[in-house]
């Protein structure tokens, strides 16, 4: 039976590249995102490329919906062997630290911390029982270090990073991998990259296909809990 990867936060950039990277290795793909139409279009594209995929529209900012989502995926494609979690929220992610309000943090916690925790609660026991599996989390570099005007999502992602590192240490000897792909560059072709270019903001750029290769490297080697892109000296 083919393995299944659940791409949570599937879009035309990193999500599509990840689906293709794992699909080429024989994985079935569950695509999860808010809008049914783009998901359906991506399913059709992947099908033309010989990759079996299915769409599961869901709002990942609603942690209570995780059990039903996981049931829908497993009922259609079988047990989830790999989770890739990289949603993009609709709320502005950054705020100055000096003016940060608790309400801003509460608005970010569901999508960036509570839902991945609930997904792990739903899928990790099965992975442990099978002796294999992985939970891959994409984050921005503000999870590693604060910067002026870039608080808000950073502290929330830092909490998720801490949780993933603990999960990595707890599960490594049970055949299950957990790790983060921490991205300190514009993802080529993304909405954020296009907006930055329009406003003359520079910085390193990384292709989504290269990030998907990093995911595959983390999944197969399992020798570290984090990959930072670009690497820091």
């Amino acid at each position: 039976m083919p393995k299944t990867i659940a791409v949570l936060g599937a879009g035309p950039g990193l999500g599509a590249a990840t689906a293709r990277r794992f699909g080429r290795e024989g994985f079935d793909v569950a695509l999860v995102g808010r809008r049914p139409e783009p998901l359906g279009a991506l399913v059709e594209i992947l099908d033309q490329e010989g990759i079996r995929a299915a769409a599961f529209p869901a709002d990942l900012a609603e942690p209570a919906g995780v059990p039903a989502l996981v049931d829908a995926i497993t009922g259609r494609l079988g047990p989830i062997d790999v989770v890739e979690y990289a949603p993009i929220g609709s709320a502005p992610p950054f705020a100055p630290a000096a003016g940060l309000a608790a309400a801003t943090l509460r608005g970010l916690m569901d999508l960036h911390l509570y839902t991945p925790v609930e997904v792990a609660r739903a899928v990790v026991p099965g992975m442990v029982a099978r002796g294999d599996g992985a939970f891959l989390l994409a984050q921005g570099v503000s999870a590693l270090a604060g910067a002026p005007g870039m608080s808000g999502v950073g502290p929330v992602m830092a909490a998720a990073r801490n949780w993933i590192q603990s999960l990595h240490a707890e599960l490594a000897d049970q055949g299950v991998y957990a790790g983060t792909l921490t991205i300190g560059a514009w993802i080529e072709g993304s909405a954020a990259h296009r907006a930055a270019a329009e406003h003359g903001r520079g910085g390193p750029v990384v292709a989504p296909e290269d990030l998907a290769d990093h995911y595959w490297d983390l999944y197969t080697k399992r020798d570290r809990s984090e990959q930072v892109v670009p690497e820091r000296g």
Side-chain angles (χ1 to χ4, degrees):
M1 178 180 294
K3 291 185 176 181
T4 295
I5 179 171
V7 178
L8 276 65
L14 179 56
T18 301
R20 289 189 172 96
R21 184 66 184 87
F22 281 76
R24 291 201 306 268
E25 303 294 339
F27 278 73
D28 289 342
V29 182
L31 300 170
V32 181
R34 288 191 303 271
R35 297 183 294 155
E37 292 79 8
L39 291 180
L42 184 53
V43 166
E44 292 183 8
I45 292 170
L46 293 173
D47 181 67
Q48 293 171 4
E49 297 174 7
I51 297 170
R52 184 187 181 213
F56 299 88
D59 185 355
L60 293 173
E62 297 291 342
V66 167
L69 172 63
V70 170
D71 285 347
I73 294 171
T74 56
R76 177 95 176 261
L77 299 176
I80 297 172
D81 299 283
V82 178
V83 170
E84 188 263 342
Y85 192 87
I88 298 174
S90 56
F94 299 115
L100 185 62
T104 300
L105 291 176
R106 280 195 294 268
L108 297 165
M109 294 288 278
D110 284 339
L111 183 65
H112 297 287
L113 180 60
Y114 297 154
T115 292
V117 166
E118 286 302 302
V119 171
R121 274 169 40 88
V123 303
V124 164
M127 293 178 178
V128 170
R130 295 188 298 275
D132 188 30
F135 194 109
L136 305 171
L137 177 70
Q139 295 194 310
V141 76
S142 60
L144 287 180
M150 296 186 68
S151 190
V153 73
V156 180
M157 291 191 302
R161 178 175 178 263
N162 177 281
W163 165 71
I164 281 285
Q165 289 177 341
S166 295
L167 197 65
H168 174 83
E170 291 172 7
L171 298 176
D173 62 355
Q174 300 181 67
V176 180
Y177 172 79
T180 57
L181 181 61
T182 301
I183 305 166
W186 302 113
I187 300 178
E188 187 177 22
S190 67
H193 180 217
R194 293 194 300 270
E198 289 174 3
H199 291 87
R201 296 198 298 269
V205 178
V206 62
E209 293 79 11
D210 291 340
L211 294 174
D213 284 339
H214 282 299
Y215 268 147
W216 184 255
D217 194 60
L218 287 170
Y219 170 66
T220 54
K221 291 183 178 178
R222 305 184 179 208
D223 57 355
R224 59 207 184 279
S225 64
E226 182 173 47
Q227 176 66 52
V228 180
V229 180
E231 292 187 13
R232 294 187 161 192

